[in-house]
């Protein structure tokens, strides 16, 4: 079935790549990766990829510049080794928040990164929960965009929270569409936290639209948790409005800056994330639950390799 498939991984998230390989029943290709004393990346492929359908698993997670450069070098090596097709499997796409000019004299960095990935040799891209769906259009190659929502929703349905006790909460106005999808899949009522941005680093949450919240079990969904300021601010507002229990869920656990401190002090019963990024042991919270996306990515890779529909995964 996989005579011409080669799966390889950079150093960003080898554990996830290993789980994908296990799902597919293949071995990860052998790659030598190291750094020269000045920090330059050294790479050698230890097996033949000529004429192969190559899938490179490498989220551009922190340290984002190192992992991005490693992805580019991996693709260049495969292209120069005559791979038939190269798919960049990017579970988390860094620089995604810089997707537009929202003031003068600023770059559109996510478009620049897309150009770099195309130029390095990617024939297609497999990504999950891009911060903005229009980033797919920044690439000049096909993009298969996966969603973690079905996996996360399946977990919350397994908790068997009565519909009358459940409220699904959008942490800000920008997440309303995503929250509506979760609401349709899980049930309960819908509420929105009215968030006002004070400056580039601070947001202020004040009001609840919809609801009711009091005495309910609240589920808050976002695409990523970075510094934790926005989601914890929303959690505090929901708690002030009388929520009985609060769950927080995100596709990408970036957890940088004060995130661990803020999340550990917030009144959150459980934080549910995927393993799209590696979470260091020192960043693991007692109420953190990680759900693997390896079967989702593995099935998408299988379908791409066999020229089958990927969108069928969400039908």
């Amino acid at each position: 079935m996989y005579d011409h498939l080669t799966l390889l991984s950079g150093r960003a998230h080898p554990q996830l790549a290993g789980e994908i390989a296990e799902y597919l029943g293949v071995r990860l290709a052998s790659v030598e990766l190291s750094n020269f004393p000045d920090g330059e990346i050294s790479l050698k492929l230890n097996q033949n990829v000529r004429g192969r359908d190559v899938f490179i698993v490498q989220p551009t997670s922190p340290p984002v510049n190192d992992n991005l450069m490693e992805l580019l070098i991996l693709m260049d090596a495969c292209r120069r080794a005559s791979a038939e097709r190269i798919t960049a499997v990017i579970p988390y796409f860094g620089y995604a928040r810089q997707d537009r000019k929202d003031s003068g004299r600023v770059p559109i960095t996510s478009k620049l990164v897309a150009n770099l990935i195309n130029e390095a040799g990617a024939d297609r891209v497999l990504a999950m929960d891009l911060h903005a769906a229009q980033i797919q259009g920044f690439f000049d190659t096909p993009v298969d965009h996966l969603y973690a929502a079905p996996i996360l929703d399946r977990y919350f349905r397994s908790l068997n929270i009565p519909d009358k006790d459940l409220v699904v909460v959008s942490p800000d106005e920008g997440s309303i569409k995503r929250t509506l999808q979760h609401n349709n899949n899980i049930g309960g009522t819908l509420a929105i936290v009215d968030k006002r941005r004070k400056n580039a680093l601070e947001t202020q949450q004040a009001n609840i639209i919809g609801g009711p919240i009091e005495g309910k079990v609240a589920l808050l969904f976002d695409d990523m948790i970075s510094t934790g300021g926005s989601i914890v601010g929303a959690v505090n507002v929901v708690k002030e409005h009388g929520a009985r229990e609060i769950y927080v869920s995100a596709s990408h656990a970036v957890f940088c800056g004060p995130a661990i401190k803020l999340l550990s002090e917030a009144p959150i019963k459980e934080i549910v994330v995927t393993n799209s990024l590696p979470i260091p042991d020192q960043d693991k919270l007692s109420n953190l639950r990680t759900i693997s996306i390896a079967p989702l990515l593995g099935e998408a890779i299988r379908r791409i390799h066999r020229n089958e529909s990927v969108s069928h995964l969400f039908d």
Side-chain angles (χ1 to χ4, degrees):
M1 184 186 298
Y2 304 120
D3 286 347
H4 299 287
L5 185 151
T6 295
L7 182 68
L8 56 87
S9 172
R11 290 176 291 182
H13 203 348
Q15 181 180 353
L16 176 60
E19 290 181 24
I20 295 170
E22 185 177 351
Y23 176 87
L24 291 171
V26 301
R27 289 185 178 181
L28 281 173
S30 175
V31 182
E32 289 182 26
L33 277 162
S34 59
N35 289 83
F36 290 106
D38 63 356
E40 291 182 7
I41 296 169
S42 171
L43 181 150
K44 182 181 180 182
L45 301 175
N46 285 330
Q47 67 184 66
N48 181 22
V49 297
R50 183 181 295 272
R52 307 282 293 185
D53 191 8
V54 177
F55 294 82
I56 303 172
V57 181
Q58 178 82 340
T60 53
S61 49
V64 59
N65 296 327
D66 292 347
N67 288 329
L68 173 60
M69 193 66 198
E70 192 166 279
L71 171 63
L72 300 177
I73 294 171
L74 281 162
M75 288 190 293
D76 185 72
C78 292
R79 178 171 61 89
R80 294 178 187 276
S82 301
E84 181 178 345
R85 183 173 66 174
I86 301 170
T87 301
V89 182
I90 312 174
Y92 170 75
F93 181 73
Y95 286 108
R97 285 171 287 185
Q98 299 184 52
D99 63 333
R100 64 195 182 280
K101 282 177 69 74
D102 52 5
S103 63
R105 298 178 297 281
V106 298
I108 304 178
T109 316
S110 54
K111 171 58 177 169
L112 170 63
V113 172
N115 288 344
L116 291 170
I117 291 170
N118 285 147
E119 286 299 316
D123 295 298
R124 65 187 309 123
V125 171
L126 177 61
M128 191 187 81
D129 282 327
L130 294 168
H131 185 66
Q134 65 265 24
I135 292 174
Q136 296 173 76
F138 291 176
F139 292 90
D140 297 325
T141 51
V143 176
D144 292 296
H145 189 201
L146 305 179
Y147 299 93
I151 298 171
L152 298 171
D153 292 346
R154 190 180 307 127
Y155 170 72
F156 284 110
R157 285 197 300 269
S158 74
L159 299 179
N160 295 317
I161 302 169
D163 200 62
K164 62 182 179 60
D165 293 338
L166 182 64
V167 57
V168 181
V169 182
S170 175
D172 54 50
E173 292 88 342
S175 301
I176 292 174
K177 184 176 180 181
R178 179 185 307 106
T179 305
L180 274 170
Q181 292 173 336
H182 288 291
N183 183 221
N184 290 334
N185 291 333
I186 300 172
T189 56
L190 177 71
I192 303 161
V193 176
D194 179 25
K195 180 178 79 172
R196 306 297 169 88
R197 183 165 288 281
K198 297 169 68 175
N199 54 52
L201 299 176
E202 296 181 86
T203 57
Q204 182 176 8
Q205 291 83 1
N207 304 308
I208 292 284
I209 302 169
I213 297 286
E214 187 170 359
K216 301 271 190 176
V217 177
L219 311 183
L220 280 75
F221 291 94
D222 212 341
D223 66 322
M224 71 174 72
I225 301 175
S226 184
T227 61
S230 293
I231 197 71
V232 169
V235 165
N236 290 333
V237 171
V238 169
K239 188 65 176 178
E240 289 167 6
H241 281 73
R244 185 173 85 240
E245 290 179 345
I246 301 173
Y247 291 82
V248 165
S249 182
S251 300
H252 308 299
V254 183
F255 292 173
C256 58
I260 298 301
K261 182 176 185 296
L262 291 175
L263 291 168
S264 63
E265 295 173 352
I268 303 172
K269 179 167 183 178
E270 194 169 47
I271 303 165
V272 183
V273 298
T274 77
N275 62 340
S276 63
L277 296 87
I279 303 173
D281 289 339
Q282 65 268 24
D283 289 348
K284 289 183 178 176
L285 298 149
S286 59
N287 59 344
L288 181 69
R289 177 180 291 272
T290 305
I291 297 176
S292 179
I293 56 169
L296 175 64
L297 292 173
E299 183 61 22
I301 288 170
R302 187 189 71 81
R303 288 175 175 272
I304 292 168
H305 177 63
R306 299 179 64 179
N307 295 314
E308 296 175 357
S309 171
V310 174
S311 61
H312 181 72
L313 291 172
F314 307 106
D315 290 343

